[in-house]
Amino acid sequence: VVFSHGLAGTRNMYAALCSALASQGYLVAAVEHRDGSAAYTSVKQNGNVRHKPYVHTDGNFVWRREQIGTRVAELHAALRALGSTQQPKNVCPHGKFDISAFQGKIDTSSVIAIGHSFGGTTVLAATAKRATKKSIS
């Protein structure tokens, strides 16, 4: 499962939902978007953690469309990371996540994508770019 948070949300705000999915056997990748739509996010750069606050952009639809593009790219990057043997960058900057624990156990051809509010819009945009006649019939 790849999860996309809503405006002014974070991956941590949806921990109960993501944990409930994980308790049923799903691997959940909760993406924390770095396009200014998260309430707060941390980015690890050159060994240092940089913090980015929410950017208020109500009514600016040009910026929202740009955010959708960024968020869709982040969902696709998360899927590529899950299917890779390389350690992804900026995953839980304060944690000890190790992708090698999942080697050979993740089927990226069968993915569930969910999101709340603006995250739902992100998921629809991401799946629209990948939709085929077979997947929508």
Side-chain angles (χ1 to χ4, degrees):
V1 176
V2 178
F3 180 81
S4 176
H5 64 75
L7 286 177
T10 66
R11 61 185 163 79
N12 295 331
M13 291 173 69
Y14 298 92
L17 171 63
C18 294
S19 295
L21 290 167
S23 76
Q24 298 301 309
Y26 293 99
L27 173 67
V28 181
V31 176
E32 189 160 275
H33 297 290
R34 303 224 166 98
D35 60 346
S37 66
Y40 178 86
T41 189
S42 301
V43 181
K44 192 173 185 177
Q45 290 179 322
N46 304 322
N48 297 314
V49 176
R50 183 172 58 96
H51 305 286
K52 292 176 65 177
Y54 173 71
V55 178
H56 185 74
T57 59
D58 285 352
N60 187 336
F61 297 109
V62 171
W63 177 242
R64 285 284 184 250
R65 282 193 292 276
E66 289 177 18
Q67 285 180 304
I68 290 287
T70 300
R71 291 166 67 100
V72 165
E74 289 169 338
L75 289 186
H76 290 174
L79 286 174
R80 282 192 306 277
L82 290 172
S84 174
T85 57
Q86 300 281 341
Q87 180 68 15
K89 296 177 182 175
N90 276 319
V91 174
C92 300
H94 307 290
K96 306 260 188 252
F97 179 80
D98 182 8
I99 193 71
S100 68
F102 298 102
Q103 260 185 316
K105 298 177 183 166
I106 300 173
D107 178 8
T108 57
S109 68
S110 179
V111 175
I112 298 168
I114 61 174
H116 172 250
S117 191
F118 198 50
T121 301
T122 302
V123 167
L124 288 174
T127 56
K129 288 188 173 197
R130 295 183 153 223
T132 63
K133 185 175 182 180
K134 181 180 177 185
S135 68
I136 59 174
S137 50

